[in-house]
Amino acid sequence: METSDIEALRKTPLCETHIAMGAKMAPFGGWLMPIQYEGILAEHAHTRRAVSVFDICHMGEFRLEADPVSSGLDRIVTQSILSMPIGSCRYGFMLNEKGGVIDDLVVYRLGKASWMLVVNAATIAGDEAHLRAHLSGRYDLDNISEETGKLDIQGPRSPETLEHLFGVSVKKLAYYTFGKFDLGGKDVIVSRTGYTGEVGYEVYISADSVTRLWKHLFEEDERIKPAGLGCRDTLRLEMGYPLYGQDLDADHTPLEAGFERFVDLKKDFIGKAALIREREEGIKERLVCFGSDTRRSPRHGFAIFSGASRIGTVTSGSFSPSLLTGIGMGYVSGSLKAGDKLLTKDKGTEIAVTVVNKPFYGKERTV
Amino acid sequence: MKIPKDLFYTKDHEWARLEGKKAYIGITDYAQAALGDITFAGLPKKGDMLKQAEAIATVESVKAASDVYAPFSGKVTAINEDLAAHPEFINRSPYDEGYFFIMEISDESEKAKLMDAAAYEQYMEGISK
């Protein structure tokens, strides 16, 4: 890559620190991000066994002061938000009129009419435009992505790490709830959430304090290790969690992706009519999970065949460090069930796979 | 980055260690580091006839799959059976335990199309700039 291309990439406040600590950096969604430190397999295993910290400052955050009904917020997201207790968070989608996914997001309820929306990095501008186009009446929307730093601290030992930082009360956080904590006079939000399938936390802190926190973590606790986006991807894929831009996109609906449980069909929302129609007419494509019997892995973009017919395309595929086989997911037409045999192909490569239920690894952890 | 003196190198980061007509083939330290953790090596079969510069093997890492090209034309005489269970040998020891296969080369003059260690080192300086 040319130097000028690297300069054009966006950088988190931790970029220099990653380079100084020996991370392998690579472009990801327009950002220069750490892909790995000591290696994807080692970092994956460390997250499953102990605790890792990930720089997730590239992700987007919005603050919104708005009555959820009169502002239209409730119509913009698919998850039920009126019933959310203050201090809880909930996963769902923003859809276009066709029911296609504009983004997947987590809504944090900070107060009765006070919210934080956490969105993907590559979709920040589009999400903001969509929010502004559909919010109405009295509301105050602030894109706080630049000034907000985010560290994900994930793994079975993460509660101990968090206790060191914030005291014992942080361990009381239930799954998909959050609290406000003090760190050296700075307000931080800590939620019991993550993208790895392990017990974990996401910490939101001002961008100008995030480097100090990052360094502090390693001084305080020798078990915690830095991890890159490479193992974040293998960890989430083993759980069957979707990645926006690959497994979710504006051309597929949450019903096709198999995430009905994050769509509240009892309320009104943008795209609902399309979803109802889709349910009546039949869902055309479905996101399915599959695994190979070997160490070979189907990859993003491989064609999926059932017998001689092409039925779809692989959206995510990787070696699974926990299972030691290839795993993946992709949209296919027709209805398949666990145990069905498929063939994934790319040029000369053919990898046989078997349809499986998610998650690939561990027990199901429902949101 | 290790670049042993006694090997020949390709621009695609394969190496060959010549012992008369016999050649050990593998990928370089740079290649293994660029790929990251290697999870699978797809090797040619014993007896396969290879043509210089043709794709003859694949190597998969957690993130990606890449082709491996033949440094020489000739016949595969043995493969490194250990790689099936231990692809990580390629990361740990790319020039030794992590070799891919052994071949009998058919035309020693093909060396002219390869780089010696000094030339590969210079080539790598160009890449890392």
Side-chain angles (χ1 to χ4, degrees):
Chain A
M1 173 170 277
E2 299 292 324
T3 311
S4 57
D5 294 334
I6 298 233
E7 280 166 4
L9 293 168
R10 302 191 61 192
K11 294 162 189 78
T12 78
L14 286 161
C15 187
E16 296 295 321
T17 309
H18 295 310
I19 293 167
M21 288 173 69
K24 187 193 273 189
M25 308 294 287
F28 175 85
W31 292 74
L32 184 63
M33 296 300 288
I35 297 306
Q36 65 173 61
Y37 271 87
E38 60 173 312
I40 294 174
L41 297 179
E43 291 162 35
H44 182 107
H46 193 75
T47 312
R48 291 260 181 260
R49 278 200 305 260
V51 54
S52 302
V53 57
F54 301 78
D55 172 13
I56 310 297
C57 293
H58 59 307
M59 279 183 72
E61 296 86 10
F62 295 98
R63 270 297 296 268
L64 176 63
E65 304 301 323
D67 176 89
V69 178
S70 66
S71 72
L73 174 63
D74 189 44
R75 280 197 76 245
I76 296 174
V77 298
T78 61
Q79 62 269 58
S80 151
I81 58 168
L82 302 183
S83 61
M84 283 174 67
I86 293 166
S88 68
C89 22
R90 207 164 270 183
Y91 176 80
F93 309 100
M94 289 196 282
L95 305 183
N96 58 32
E97 292 290 352
K98 292 186 304 182
V101 180
I102 291 172
D103 205 358
D104 61 339
L105 79 167
V106 179
V107 175
Y108 287 63
R109 188 165 206 173
L110 306 171
K112 192 162 178 286
S114 183
W115 313 85
M116 179 168 75
L117 313 182
V118 180
V119 305
N120 286 292
T123 48
I124 296 172
D127 290 352
E128 182 168 2
H130 183 73
L131 286 162
R132 294 204 186 279
H134 294 280
L135 286 167
S136 60
R138 282 167 52 130
Y139 71 88
D140 186 10
L141 178 70
D142 198 4
N143 179 352
I144 56 166
S145 306
E146 283 285 331
E147 63 256 37
T148 306
K150 178 174 184 286
L151 299 183
D152 287 11
I153 300 173
Q154 301 277 309
R157 311 208 76 148
S158 61
E160 297 159 46
T161 304
L162 273 282
E163 186 182 353
H164 276 300
L165 291 172
F166 303 111
V168 70
S169 66
V170 75
K171 289 168 81 175
K172 291 191 191 126
L173 288 175
Y175 193 43
Y176 266 70
T177 68
F178 66 91
K180 287 183 186 165
F181 296 85
D182 175 84
L183 196 70
K186 298 268 184 184
D187 277 343
V188 301
I189 289 178
V190 179
S191 59
R192 229 317 256 121
T193 51
Y195 194 47
T196 62
E198 296 302 325
V199 171
Y201 300 84
E202 297 181 85
V203 178
Y204 301 87
I205 184 168
S206 69
D208 54 15
S209 302
V210 73
T211 304
R212 216 172 63 210
L213 173 57
W214 173 271
K215 290 178 175 167
H216 180 68
L217 283 168
F218 305 114
E219 288 157 10
E220 276 291 294
D221 184 347
E222 56 198 26
R223 281 188 307 251
I224 194 165
K225 289 184 179 179
L229 295 186
C231 83
R232 183 171 154 88
D233 194 50
T234 53
L235 289 160
R236 70 91 192 168
L237 187 56
E238 285 185 350
M239 300 310 297
Y241 295 160
L243 173 62
Y244 190 81
Q246 288 183 195
D247 315 305
L248 297 172
D249 59 41
D251 297 323
H252 290 97
T253 70
L255 305 188
E256 289 177 307
F259 294 111
E260 291 92 335
R261 73 177 189 276
F262 305 112
V263 176
D264 177 12
L265 286 167
K266 293 193 288 294
K267 72 169 192 179
D268 187 33
F269 57 86
I270 298 163
K272 180 179 173 179
L275 299 190
I276 301 280
R277 205 160 49 239
E278 182 181 31
R279 277 223 302 204
E280 284 165 2
E281 290 171 3
I283 294 165
K284 288 187 196 72
E285 289 195 291
R286 283 186 194 273
L287 188 63
V288 294
C289 292
F290 36 78
S292 72
D293 310 326
T294 66
R295 297 179 65 96
R296 303 200 72 184
S297 173
R299 309 280 175 178
H300 174 79
F302 277 28
I304 303 173
F305 284 81
S306 173
S309 358
R310 166 99 191 245
I311 59 164
T313 305
V314 176
T315 53
S316 285
S318 173
F319 178 76
S320 161
S322 301
L323 305 177
L324 305 179
T325 60
I327 59 172
M329 44 180 142
Y331 283 99
V332 296
S333 53
S335 93
L336 295 175
K337 57 184 187 312
D340 286 351
K341 305 282 182 194
L342 302 173
L343 198 60
T344 62
K345 290 193 201 181
D346 178 57
K347 298 182 204 105
T349 303
E350 289 194 359
I351 298 171
V353 296
T354 305
V355 176
V356 297
N357 293 319
K358 65 187 178 189
F360 294 97
Y361 167 83
K363 62 179 192 292
E364 173 75 289
R365 291 161 169 85
T366 47
V367 173
Chain B
M1 192 203 322
K2 286 186 218 130
I3 303 178
K5 293 278 177 255
D6 55 335
L7 310 183
F8 292 95
Y9 298 89
T10 70
K11 288 186 172 175
D12 302 304
H13 310 288
E14 293 88 12
W15 58 261
R17 175 184 291 114
L18 274 183
E19 295 175 359
K21 285 262 174 196
K22 184 175 159 187
Y24 284 77
I25 309 297
I27 65 169
T28 66
D29 194 23
Y30 168 81
Q32 70 75 22
L35 287 164
D37 291 323
I38 290 168
T39 53
F40 174 82
L43 303 180
K45 287 184 202 62
K46 190 177 167 181
D48 280 359
M49 296 303 295
L50 311 183
K51 220 175 140 204
Q52 188 180 38
E54 278 188 358
I56 41 90
T58 56
V59 57
E60 294 192 13
S61 66
V62 180
K63 298 307 295 173
S66 321
D67 287 327
V68 176
Y69 300 91
F72 281 102
S73 303
K75 185 176 171 182
V76 177
T77 54
I79 62 161
N80 183 353
E81 308 272 3
D82 292 341
L83 295 184
H86 297 288
E88 73 274 12
F89 285 0
I90 301 166
N91 292 116
R92 201 165 71 197
S93 172
Y95 299 112
D96 186 16
E97 281 178 294
Y99 79 93
F100 279 43
F101 58 87
I102 304 169
M103 65 188 293
E104 191 182 291
I105 65 166
S106 54
D107 180 1
E108 205 176 330
S109 73
E110 287 178 344
K111 271 198 313 202
K113 291 188 180 145
L114 304 176
M115 291 175 272
D116 63 13
Y120 183 62
E121 210 161 314
Q122 205 170 19
Y123 173 66
M124 290 308 305
E125 277 168 24
I127 284 180
S128 55
K129 241 180 238 160

